[in-house]
Amino acid sequence: MTIHREGKKIIMLTGAGIFVIVLLMLLLVKEWNVVHYLFVAGLVVFGFLVTAFFRIPRRIFANNPSELISPADGTIVTIEQVTEKAYIQGECMQISIFMSGTDVHVNRYPCDGLVEYVKFRRGNYFVASYPKSSDLNERTEIGMLLDNGKRILIRQVAGVMARRIVCYAKEGERVKQNQELGFIRFGSRVDLFLPLDFPISVDLQDKVKNAISPIAEIV
């Protein structure tokens, strides 16, 4: 396991803050009791959770050009037909993956293709599992032209605790399946908008892992 580069500064600041607090307690508190020990234990747990949030576990990535692989870890919370107006501009299937605070928050491209469209949209910070958060929350949209001429849209959506979406996509860039797309801090979701004729491989409430779990077939 490694630590994502987006988290290194935050982890260092968190560790420094915990160190200073404990040092001050050692200097100022003459007689420690159970409350003090529990407080320090809570700080250590908090530091561990912050570090764990930015983890990148070692995985054997799926490599299948005929499938869309999950771009995120999490739970499937939406599978429905919708109209996507910004990039696909028509009817498509939306599949949404909700990432809790304990999930790995690295996002990856689900397939090979050409990035044709990148758009950041400001918005609210509703709970990411809320269905309307896909359209109301702060988000980044990445449109891809696949090798078979069809288009998909990937949407990174901020949540109630996610205050920063990191997206590395650039228009005109050729990308590969499971290449890193970005990162969302502290709870969020990723939406996929797919052609209607792509057979779906997941059901509601399924648990998926980025770079491993198939989401749909490419046809």
Side-chain angles (χ1 to χ4, degrees), residues 26-44:
L26 290 171
L27 294 173
L28 300 176
V29 179
K30 295 182 179 180
E31 295 185 7
W32 283 52
N33 57 38
V34 66
V35 174
H36 298 105
Y37 289 111
L38 288 175
F39 179 72
V40 172
L43 290 176
V44 173

Side-chain angles (χ1 to χ4, degrees), residues 68-181:
L68 290 171
I69 305 300
S70 180
D73 279 23
T75 304
I76 303 294
V77 294
T78 301
I79 302 176
E80 64 179 355
Q81 185 171 332
V82 298
T83 301
E84 200 289 309
K85 299 179 181 179
Y87 175 69
I88 296 177
Q89 300 179 351
E91 294 295 309
C92 56
M93 289 298 297
Q94 176 181 340
I95 300 176
S96 299
I97 304 165
F98 172 69
M99 295 181 285
S100 71
T102 59
D103 287 316
V104 176
H105 275 60
V106 178
N107 300 152
R108 300 184 185 277
Y109 289 103
C111 59
D112 297 352
L114 176 69
V115 176
E116 289 191 315
Y117 172 85
V118 179
K119 180 71 174 180
F120 172 75
R121 300 184 187 275
R122 297 193 179 278
N124 297 305
Y125 295 96
F126 296 119
V127 176
S129 57
Y130 175 55
K132 292 296 184 181
S133 67
S134 179
D135 297 313
L136 300 177
N137 282 16
E138 183 172 303
R139 57 201 182 275
T140 299
E141 299 171 344
I142 304 99
M144 289 181 62
L145 175 65
L146 308 191
D147 293 339
N148 63 0
K150 295 185 179 181
R151 290 178 167 86
I152 68 170
L153 181 75
I154 308 164
R155 180 182 287 166
Q156 297 174 290
V157 183
V160 66
M161 293 180 62
R163 298 293 164 160
R164 188 184 177 203
I165 297 173
V166 179
C167 179
Y168 306 131
K170 296 179 181 178
E171 291 184 4
E173 179 184 21
R174 175 81 185 174
V175 296
K176 302 293 290 183
Q177 187 177 65
N178 300 323
Q179 178 181 330
E180 191 172 331
L181 163 64

